Amino acid sequence: MKYIIGIGGVTNGGKTTLTNRLIKTLPNCCVVHQDDFFRKPDQIEVGDDGFRQWDVITAMDMEAMTNTVKGWIENPVKFARSHGVPLSSAPEETNPDETTHILIVEGFLLYNYPPLLDVFDKTFYITIPYEECKRRRSTRQYTVPDPPGLFDGHVWPMYLKHRREMESCGLDIECLDGLRSKDEIYTQVYESIQNNLLNRL
């Protein structure tokens, strides 16, 4: 069985932390990080707000990302091996249809790209309030540092815009409170995934 989980949410909400923990506990689990598909800085447009448009869907090569996800769908075993992911049982010895293969797709604009929407079996979205998001963002070191005013002038307004779009995308998205402890968030997501998987067997 193939099972795809989406973990979306606000910048610095805890998506990667949650994803990294799930990878360790879910069987045959691979991951695709949306951040790996950012275009080069010189390909990022400067918007009307005066900032390079990092927080929009065109800042990423979403076609390449979608193709990566499709590559996993076509052959999760081959994908896992090529990404160095250990598999819990040798597929040759067991019926591959009985083995559960899981893919986590993680990113801040997961549910704003229509070609990806129909691949998800289970979707989550982490939110944190403005003040906390700004505080966390200010402590992060990025390869391309945030210019002054970027958070209020671009990052947060784009988050609100994309969240409204996401809420009308038609997916049944489970929202997570990013202010809860990492353990609580992980437990909620892990149990939700397990229940969802059991319902599919």
Side-chain angles (χ1 to χ4, degrees):
M1 179 172 68
K2 299 169 191 169
Y3 186 78
I4 301 183
I5 301 160
I7 296 179
V10 64
T11 176
N12 295 280
K15 299 180 297 296
T16 309
T17 304
L18 173 61
T19 298
N20 289 341
R21 196 156 167 192
L22 288 168
I23 294 166
K24 292 178 182 144
T25 49
L26 294 170
N28 304 320
C29 186
C30 296
V31 65
V32 172
H33 295 285
Q34 191 172 35
D35 283 0
D36 292 343
F37 295 89
F38 269 112
R39 299 184 189 279
K40 295 184 175 71
D42 61 358
Q43 295 178 299
I44 306 294
E45 299 168 12
V46 175
D48 296 337
D49 54 19
F51 296 108
R52 283 199 186 272
Q53 303 293 292
W54 288 104
D55 287 62
V56 298
I57 202 84
T58 50
M60 285 157 291
D61 187 345
M62 290 303 296
E63 198 173 327
M65 181 176 170
T66 305
N67 287 337
T68 302
V69 172
K70 284 180 178 167
W72 179 88
I73 293 169
E74 282 163 21
N75 194 332
V77 173
K78 183 179 170 189
F79 187 99
R81 286 186 175 146
S82 68
H83 288 78
V85 174
L87 297 168
S88 59
S89 59
E92 294 79 14
E93 297 164 22
T94 56
N95 179 352
D97 296 333
E98 289 173 10
T99 306
T100 299
H101 290 277
I102 297 172
L103 179 68
I104 297 175
V105 185
E106 178 264 322
F108 73 109
L109 281 182
L110 280 195
Y111 311 126
N112 300 81
Y113 186 68
L116 259 188
L117 292 181
D118 58 356
V119 306
F120 296 111
D121 295 295
K122 183 76 189 159
T123 49
F124 299 95
Y125 192 84
I126 305 176
T127 62
I128 50 175
Y130 165 84
E131 290 81 8
E132 177 64 10
C133 189
K134 189 170 184 176
R135 185 191 69 74
R136 290 186 192 180
R137 178 94 180 198
S138 68
T139 63
R140 285 280 289 275
Q141 298 296 316
Y142 288 100
T143 317
V144 181
D146 283 356
L150 180 76
F151 185 83
D152 287 320
H154 177 64
V155 175
W156 191 256
M158 284 296 139
Y159 159 67
L160 295 176
K161 173 179 179 280
H162 291 123
R163 187 171 169 186
R164 283 193 298 272
E165 279 178 17
M166 175 201 82
E167 284 166 353
S168 60
C169 77
L171 283 179
D172 179 19
I173 298 169
E174 188 173 331
C175 279
L176 307 168
D177 177 0
L179 291 179
R180 294 173 72 200
S181 75
K182 289 172 182 164
D183 284 347
E184 286 176 311
I185 294 170
Y186 165 78
T187 302
Q188 179 184 342
V189 170
Y190 185 77
E191 287 176 357
S192 183
I193 291 166
Q194 292 299 340
N195 288 337
N196 200 250
L197 281 168
L198 285 173
N199 290 335
R200 286 163 182 270
L201 295 174

